[in-house]
Amino acid sequence: MRDYHRALMGRAEDAVAVGLPTTPERLLADLAVFAQRGYAIQRERIDRGAGGVAVPLKVPRGHRTAVLGVVLPVEDMADAEVPTVVQTLRVAGHGISRALGAL
């Protein structure tokens, strides 16, 4: 997280402009929400008109954390559509985790 914070703070004006966390506390708060929900979602935080959804992958012990995500036009990310996207990613992620030997 320190590396992320250092990189982010090097261009804090860009981060603020798109709503990215600019402090370790804000990053931890965002991560806590993602962990509680079971997926991460963002709309137009990086590119106007685009958003993303990501789910965590199970990886073998000792390996780095991994996620599987998708970038979509925001018009395809209505609240009613997000559960379908999340479920699709979870199914694909389960197959990847199994192939990695984590399941």
Side-chain angles (χ1 to χ4, degrees):
M1 185 170 66
R2 277 191 304 256
D3 291 340
Y4 172 85
H5 181 66
R6 265 186 262 146
L8 188 59
M9 294 311 287
R11 51 190 189 96
E13 65 282 353
D14 293 338
V16 169
V18 295
L20 292 175
T22 56
T23 66
E25 295 79 18
R26 170 78 192 280
L27 175 61
L28 289 173
D30 282 359
L31 292 174
V33 170
F34 301 153
Q36 178 184 18
R37 202 171 30 209
Y39 64 92
I41 185 168
Q42 62 83 20
R43 291 179 177 97
E44 296 188 303
R45 272 187 152 180
I46 297 175
D47 289 321
R48 199 172 292 224
V53 179
V55 299
L57 298 179
K58 292 184 191 249
V59 295
R61 187 174 287 258
H63 287 73
R64 293 190 180 267
T65 303
V67 299
L68 178 63
V70 63
V71 175
L72 300 165
V74 290
E75 59 266 15
D76 293 340
M77 293 180 64
D79 288 342
E81 296 175 28
V82 170
T84 301
V85 174
V86 169
Q87 185 59 27
T88 301
L89 289 170
R90 285 182 175 153
V91 169
H94 184 82
I96 293 167
S97 295
R98 187 175 53 242
L100 292 171
L103 302 175

